[in-house]
Amino acid sequence: MLKHTDGNIMQFVDDFFSMGIDGYQSIEPYAGMDIGFIKQKYGDKVLLMGNIDCARTLPFGSKEEVVKETIECMKQAFSWRWSYRFDQHYWLSHIRG
């Protein structure tokens, strides 16, 4: 089961992951979600998707800012065991290419 949330779920994150989910989508950095913490605590149990800011960085950031945020996200969360999609929602039409 893949579960999606919006916002910050850190106050009940243990309860959230105890539901037995297989994946978590939408780890929103601008909402205060910490993918490094989530990866460390739950990353060996679930697929994680998210943590590049699609509200600010992707649509309004420079190419350098997008690359920097992507690399930082990879450093915090990447694992060969799982694959990751780094935007927390989807590629929006207003994101510059």
Side-chain angles (χ1 to χ4, degrees), residues 3-32:
K3 191 69 177 161
H4 167 90
T5 67
D6 288 320
N8 189 324
I9 66 162
M10 296 303 290
Q11 66 184 0
F12 55 88
V13 73
D14 291 328
D15 293 332
F16 179 80
F17 282 97
S18 71
M19 293 187 299
I21 62 173
D22 299 305
Y24 172 40
Q25 191 266 336
S26 191
I27 305 167
E28 298 179 291
Y30 57 86

Side-chain angles (χ1 to χ4, degrees), residues 14-72:
D14 291 328
D15 293 332
F16 179 80
F17 282 97
S18 71
M19 293 187 299
I21 62 173
D22 299 305
Y24 172 40
Q25 191 266 336
S26 191
I27 305 167
E28 298 179 291
Y30 57 86
M33 292 298 295
D34 181 349
I35 197 168
F37 172 81
I38 299 291
K39 166 65 176 148
Q40 183 178 14
K41 193 157 184 182
Y42 306 103
D44 63 335
K45 299 172 183 73
V46 299
L47 171 68
L48 302 174
M49 296 180 284
N51 214 231
I52 292 187
D53 191 342
C54 74
R56 297 179 192 143
T57 306
L58 288 178
F60 304 114
S62 67
K63 180 179 178 179
E64 292 78 19
E65 290 168 324
V66 172
V67 168
K68 181 181 176 185
E69 193 167 318
T70 301
I71 290 170
E72 184 59 32

